[in-house]
Short mmCIF file of all heavy atoms in Angstrom, two decimals:
data_model
loop_
_atom_site.label_atom_id
_atom_site.label_comp_id
_atom_site.label_asym_id
_atom_site.label_seq_id
_atom_site.Cartn_x
_atom_site.Cartn_y
_atom_site.Cartn_z
N GLU A 1 8.11 8.45 -7.89
CA GLU A 1 6.84 8.19 -8.58
C GLU A 1 6.61 6.70 -8.76
O GLU A 1 5.48 6.20 -8.60
CB GLU A 1 6.83 8.91 -9.92
CG GLU A 1 6.73 10.44 -9.80
CD GLU A 1 6.87 11.13 -11.14
OE1 GLU A 1 7.35 10.49 -12.10
OE2 GLU A 1 6.52 12.33 -11.23
N ALA A 2 7.68 5.97 -9.08
CA ALA A 2 7.56 4.52 -9.22
C ALA A 2 7.22 3.87 -7.88
O ALA A 2 6.37 2.96 -7.80
CB ALA A 2 8.86 3.94 -9.78
N ASP A 3 7.87 4.37 -6.81
CA ASP A 3 7.57 3.85 -5.47
C ASP A 3 6.13 4.14 -5.08
O ASP A 3 5.46 3.31 -4.45
CB ASP A 3 8.52 4.47 -4.44
CG ASP A 3 9.95 3.96 -4.57
OD1 ASP A 3 10.13 2.90 -5.21
OD2 ASP A 3 10.87 4.63 -4.05
N TYR A 4 5.64 5.34 -5.44
CA TYR A 4 4.26 5.72 -5.11
C TYR A 4 3.28 4.75 -5.77
O TYR A 4 2.33 4.27 -5.14
CB TYR A 4 3.99 7.15 -5.58
CG TYR A 4 2.72 7.75 -5.03
CD1 TYR A 4 2.76 8.60 -3.92
CD2 TYR A 4 1.48 7.47 -5.59
CE1 TYR A 4 1.59 9.16 -3.40
CE2 TYR A 4 0.31 8.01 -5.08
CZ TYR A 4 0.38 8.85 -3.98
OH TYR A 4 -0.78 9.38 -3.47
N ASP A 5 3.49 4.46 -7.07
CA ASP A 5 2.59 3.54 -7.79
C ASP A 5 2.64 2.15 -7.18
O ASP A 5 1.61 1.47 -7.04
CB ASP A 5 2.98 3.49 -9.27
CG ASP A 5 2.71 4.80 -9.99
OD1 ASP A 5 1.89 5.58 -9.48
OD2 ASP A 5 3.33 5.05 -11.04
N ARG A 6 3.85 1.72 -6.78
CA ARG A 6 4.00 0.38 -6.20
C ARG A 6 3.25 0.27 -4.87
O ARG A 6 2.51 -0.70 -4.64
CB ARG A 6 5.48 0.07 -6.00
CG ARG A 6 5.76 -1.25 -5.28
CD ARG A 6 7.25 -1.46 -5.09
NE ARG A 6 7.89 -0.34 -4.42
CZ ARG A 6 7.83 -0.14 -3.10
NH1 ARG A 6 7.14 -0.99 -2.32
NH2 ARG A 6 8.44 0.89 -2.54
N VAL A 7 3.42 1.28 -4.01
CA VAL A 7 2.77 1.25 -2.70
C VAL A 7 1.26 1.44 -2.83
O VAL A 7 0.47 0.81 -2.12
CB VAL A 7 3.37 2.33 -1.78
CG1 VAL A 7 2.65 2.35 -0.44
CG2 VAL A 7 4.86 2.07 -1.56
N ALA A 8 0.84 2.31 -3.77
CA ALA A 8 -0.59 2.54 -3.96
C ALA A 8 -1.30 1.27 -4.40
O ALA A 8 -2.48 1.05 -4.09
CB ALA A 8 -0.81 3.65 -4.98
N ALA A 9 -0.57 0.41 -5.13
CA ALA A 9 -1.17 -0.85 -5.60
C ALA A 9 -1.56 -1.73 -4.42
O ALA A 9 -2.53 -2.51 -4.50
CB ALA A 9 -0.18 -1.57 -6.51
N VAL A 10 -0.85 -1.61 -3.30
CA VAL A 10 -1.20 -2.38 -2.11
C VAL A 10 -2.57 -1.96 -1.58
O VAL A 10 -3.38 -2.80 -1.16
CB VAL A 10 -0.12 -2.19 -1.02
CG1 VAL A 10 -0.52 -2.92 0.26
CG2 VAL A 10 1.23 -2.68 -1.51
N LEU A 11 -2.84 -0.66 -1.61
CA LEU A 11 -4.14 -0.17 -1.14
C LEU A 11 -5.27 -0.59 -2.06
O LEU A 11 -6.42 -0.77 -1.62
CB LEU A 11 -4.10 1.36 -1.02
CG LEU A 11 -3.09 1.95 -0.03
CD1 LEU A 11 -3.15 3.47 -0.06
CD2 LEU A 11 -3.36 1.45 1.38
N GLU A 12 -4.96 -0.72 -3.35
CA GLU A 12 -6.00 -1.09 -4.32
C GLU A 12 -6.28 -2.59 -4.31
O GLU A 12 -7.33 -3.03 -4.79
CB GLU A 12 -5.57 -0.65 -5.72
CG GLU A 12 -5.42 0.86 -5.87
CD GLU A 12 -4.86 1.25 -7.22
OE1 GLU A 12 -4.61 0.35 -8.03
OE2 GLU A 12 -4.70 2.46 -7.46
N ASP A 13 -5.33 -3.35 -3.79
CA ASP A 13 -5.48 -4.81 -3.78
C ASP A 13 -6.44 -5.23 -2.66
O ASP A 13 -6.21 -4.98 -1.48
CB ASP A 13 -4.11 -5.46 -3.56
CG ASP A 13 -4.17 -6.97 -3.74
OD1 ASP A 13 -5.29 -7.52 -3.90
OD2 ASP A 13 -3.10 -7.61 -3.72
N GLU A 14 -7.54 -5.85 -3.03
CA GLU A 14 -8.55 -6.26 -2.05
C GLU A 14 -8.03 -7.34 -1.10
O GLU A 14 -8.59 -7.56 -0.02
CB GLU A 14 -9.81 -6.75 -2.76
CG GLU A 14 -10.51 -5.67 -3.57
CD GLU A 14 -11.76 -6.19 -4.26
OE1 GLU A 14 -12.01 -7.42 -4.16
OE2 GLU A 14 -12.46 -5.38 -4.90
N ASP A 15 -6.97 -8.05 -1.51
CA ASP A 15 -6.43 -9.13 -0.68
C ASP A 15 -5.43 -8.64 0.36
O ASP A 15 -4.93 -9.43 1.17
CB ASP A 15 -5.75 -10.18 -1.57
CG ASP A 15 -6.76 -10.86 -2.51
OD1 ASP A 15 -7.94 -11.00 -2.10
OD2 ASP A 15 -6.37 -11.25 -3.63
N SER A 16 -5.09 -7.35 0.35
CA SER A 16 -4.13 -6.81 1.32
C SER A 16 -4.75 -6.84 2.72
O SER A 16 -5.92 -6.48 2.90
CB SER A 16 -3.74 -5.39 0.95
OG SER A 16 -3.12 -5.35 -0.33
N ASP A 17 -3.94 -7.28 3.70
CA ASP A 17 -4.47 -7.29 5.08
C ASP A 17 -4.29 -5.93 5.72
O ASP A 17 -3.67 -5.03 5.15
CB ASP A 17 -3.80 -8.38 5.90
CG ASP A 17 -2.28 -8.22 5.97
OD1 ASP A 17 -1.80 -7.06 5.97
OD2 ASP A 17 -1.56 -9.24 6.01
N GLU A 18 -4.85 -5.77 6.93
CA GLU A 18 -4.84 -4.47 7.60
C GLU A 18 -3.44 -3.98 7.90
O GLU A 18 -3.14 -2.79 7.80
CB GLU A 18 -5.65 -4.55 8.89
CG GLU A 18 -7.14 -4.76 8.68
CD GLU A 18 -7.92 -4.75 9.98
OE1 GLU A 18 -7.28 -4.53 11.03
OE2 GLU A 18 -9.15 -4.94 9.93
N GLU A 19 -2.53 -4.90 8.25
CA GLU A 19 -1.16 -4.50 8.57
C GLU A 19 -0.46 -3.96 7.33
O GLU A 19 0.26 -2.94 7.40
CB GLU A 19 -0.41 -5.69 9.14
CG GLU A 19 1.01 -5.35 9.59
CD GLU A 19 1.72 -6.53 10.24
OE1 GLU A 19 1.03 -7.51 10.61
OE2 GLU A 19 2.95 -6.47 10.37
N GLU A 20 -0.67 -4.63 6.19
CA GLU A 20 -0.06 -4.17 4.94
C GLU A 20 -0.62 -2.81 4.52
O GLU A 20 0.12 -1.93 4.06
CB GLU A 20 -0.31 -5.20 3.83
CG GLU A 20 0.46 -6.50 3.98
CD GLU A 20 0.09 -7.51 2.92
OE1 GLU A 20 -1.10 -7.54 2.52
OE2 GLU A 20 0.98 -8.27 2.49
N ILE A 21 -1.92 -2.63 4.70
CA ILE A 21 -2.55 -1.35 4.33
C ILE A 21 -2.03 -0.22 5.22
O ILE A 21 -1.71 0.87 4.74
CB ILE A 21 -4.08 -1.46 4.45
CG1 ILE A 21 -4.62 -2.41 3.37
CG2 ILE A 21 -4.74 -0.09 4.35
CD1 ILE A 21 -6.11 -2.68 3.48
N ALA A 22 -1.93 -0.46 6.53
CA ALA A 22 -1.43 0.57 7.43
C ALA A 22 0.00 0.95 7.08
O ALA A 22 0.37 2.13 7.08
CB ALA A 22 -1.52 0.07 8.88
N LYS A 23 0.85 -0.06 6.78
CA LYS A 23 2.23 0.21 6.41
C LYS A 23 2.29 1.01 5.10
O LYS A 23 3.08 1.96 4.97
CB LYS A 23 2.99 -1.11 6.26
CG LYS A 23 4.45 -0.93 5.86
CD LYS A 23 5.15 -2.28 5.68
CE LYS A 23 6.60 -2.08 5.22
NZ LYS A 23 7.28 -3.38 5.00
N ALA A 24 1.43 0.64 4.12
CA ALA A 24 1.41 1.35 2.83
C ALA A 24 0.99 2.80 3.01
O ALA A 24 1.55 3.69 2.37
CB ALA A 24 0.47 0.63 1.87
N GLU A 25 0.02 3.05 3.87
CA GLU A 25 -0.43 4.42 4.10
C GLU A 25 0.68 5.27 4.69
O GLU A 25 0.85 6.44 4.32
CB GLU A 25 -1.66 4.43 5.01
CG GLU A 25 -2.92 3.88 4.33
CD GLU A 25 -4.10 3.82 5.27
OE1 GLU A 25 -3.88 3.84 6.51
OE2 GLU A 25 -5.25 3.74 4.79
N ARG A 26 1.45 4.69 5.63
CA ARG A 26 2.57 5.43 6.22
C ARG A 26 3.64 5.72 5.17
O ARG A 26 4.22 6.81 5.13
CB ARG A 26 3.16 4.64 7.39
CG ARG A 26 2.25 4.55 8.61
CD ARG A 26 3.03 4.04 9.83
NE ARG A 26 3.55 2.68 9.62
CZ ARG A 26 2.90 1.57 9.90
NH1 ARG A 26 1.67 1.63 10.43
NH2 ARG A 26 3.44 0.39 9.70
N GLU A 27 3.93 4.73 4.32
CA GLU A 27 4.94 4.92 3.27
C GLU A 27 4.50 5.99 2.27
O GLU A 27 5.33 6.78 1.81
CB GLU A 27 5.20 3.59 2.55
CG GLU A 27 5.93 2.56 3.39
CD GLU A 27 6.18 1.28 2.61
OE1 GLU A 27 5.83 1.24 1.41
OE2 GLU A 27 6.72 0.33 3.19
N LEU A 28 3.22 6.02 1.94
CA LEU A 28 2.73 7.02 0.98
C LEU A 28 2.91 8.43 1.52
O LEU A 28 3.22 9.36 0.77
CB LEU A 28 1.25 6.77 0.66
CG LEU A 28 0.94 5.65 -0.32
CD1 LEU A 28 -0.56 5.53 -0.54
CD2 LEU A 28 1.63 5.88 -1.66
#
């Protein structure tokens, strides 16, 4: 659950680039 919140924060961050978002989606 802690990992989920941490990775989800990457998707919510407007400054995240496309590579970071794609990696976060796979991790979720």
